[in-house]
Amino acid sequence: MSGVRILPMGAGAVLLELDDAVQVPALAAAIVAAREAGEIATRDVVPAATTVLVSGLSRVDRAVLEDLVAGWEPSEWDAADGPLVEIPVAFDGPDLADVAAGWALTPDQAVALIASTEFTVAFCGFAPGFAYLTGLPAEREVPRRAEPRTAVPARAVALAGPYAGVYPRSSPGGWQIVGTAFGEPLWDVDRTPPALLTPGTRVRFLA
């Protein structure tokens, strides 16, 4: 299809670059479905903001992938079948009042909006266990802080642009912190998979 560029990434991988970022999860899901159906062999299918990395491809499988991409038609991605993870949150973040003001809401109304939203993991990155969550309406996008913090505490629940996320460990960051998450660790090397939140997972924050 038009709008997808296939870029070689070494002998056994390709990077699929899309014009429409909204279609990234749908394309990744289509490739995973083809793998599960035995139509193509791959090692990893890794969605990002505007790309999908596919690795572990033989020459034959790369040709199959190219045919799949050529014949693929964009569709609305339905994440309703993804697993659901509920994360308890204390909405005590230092930026909650500013976020609420930007939405022309009270802090309690902002918390209610966030808690009523079912988020979906679009992709992972930045740090092990960090998931970029989509689901907020377009009019609720949140600007990054003008001055990033040198240390955001572990388990901080934060918003930036169209995304929500939970910091798995302390690190610098410019997202707006609205709360603190509790429950299972976001990254545990002794767990399979190590990340609690993987692409396609549905997420709800429980106030």
Side-chain angles (χ1 to χ4, degrees), residues 21-45:
V22 174
Q23 296 300 332
V24 168
L27 179 57
I31 297 169
V32 170
R35 179 176 65 188
E36 293 177 349
E39 300 170 6
I40 185 173
T42 72
R43 184 172 64 246
D44 297 308
V45 179

Side-chain angles (χ1 to χ4, degrees), residues 29-86:
I31 297 169
V32 170
R35 179 176 65 188
E36 293 177 349
E39 300 170 6
I40 185 173
T42 72
R43 184 172 64 246
D44 297 308
V45 179
V46 184
T50 59
T51 62
V52 180
L53 175 69
V54 185
S55 67
L57 295 168
S58 66
R59 288 186 178 180
V60 172
D61 288 310
R62 176 167 173 172
V64 172
L65 177 66
E66 291 176 351
D67 288 343
L68 184 156
V69 170
W72 179 74
E73 291 294 334
S75 60
E76 185 173 345
W77 182 54
D78 184 2
D81 293 332
L84 175 64
V85 173
E86 295 181 328

